[in-house]
Amino acid sequence: MAIIITDECINCGACEPECPNTAIYEGADDWRYADGTDLSGNVVLPGGKEVDAEEAQEPISDEIYYIVPDKCTECKGFHEEPQCAAVCPVDCCVPDEDIVETEEFLLKKQAFMHPE
């Protein structure tokens, strides 16, 4: 499952540089699928959605840091545990019970965004 940042976030920013997929953004900042990945142009995501990787997307939150679920792999393929949760001083980076993904799918997303 993806990780979410709860409203207990204190906007310290410790999580953002730790994300290997650049899936974490400061509140109110636009985001792109291409940010921090090898994606460019029109792509079909592993879940089947077609997107322009370089097109700016609306912020998920205007107030606190947020994680883009389509880019979150829980650090699978990079680390043993989600790095955002490991560094969060207030433990507000938690699994999103609404977005359950298998380890196989998370690794597929990671390989898609960062092909070898």
Side-chain angles (χ1 to χ4, degrees), residues 14-79:
C15 57
E16 184 181 24
E18 299 302 320
C19 182
N21 297 312
T22 312
I24 302 175
Y25 294 84
E26 187 171 358
D29 282 356
D30 290 345
W31 62 276
R32 291 167 180 75
Y33 286 96
D35 295 342
T37 71
D38 292 330
L39 302 178
S40 65
N42 293 323
V43 297
V44 178
L45 302 176
K49 183 163 110 180
E50 291 185 42
V51 299
D52 177 348
E54 294 156 44
E55 182 179 330
Q57 305 292 319
E58 292 286 321
I60 293 173
S61 172
D62 288 332
E63 298 175 15
I64 59 173
Y65 279 82
Y66 64 89
I67 300 173
V68 176
D70 283 344
K71 293 179 72 177
C72 179
T73 62
E74 292 184 43
C75 294
K76 299 290 184 198
F78 294 106
H79 305 287

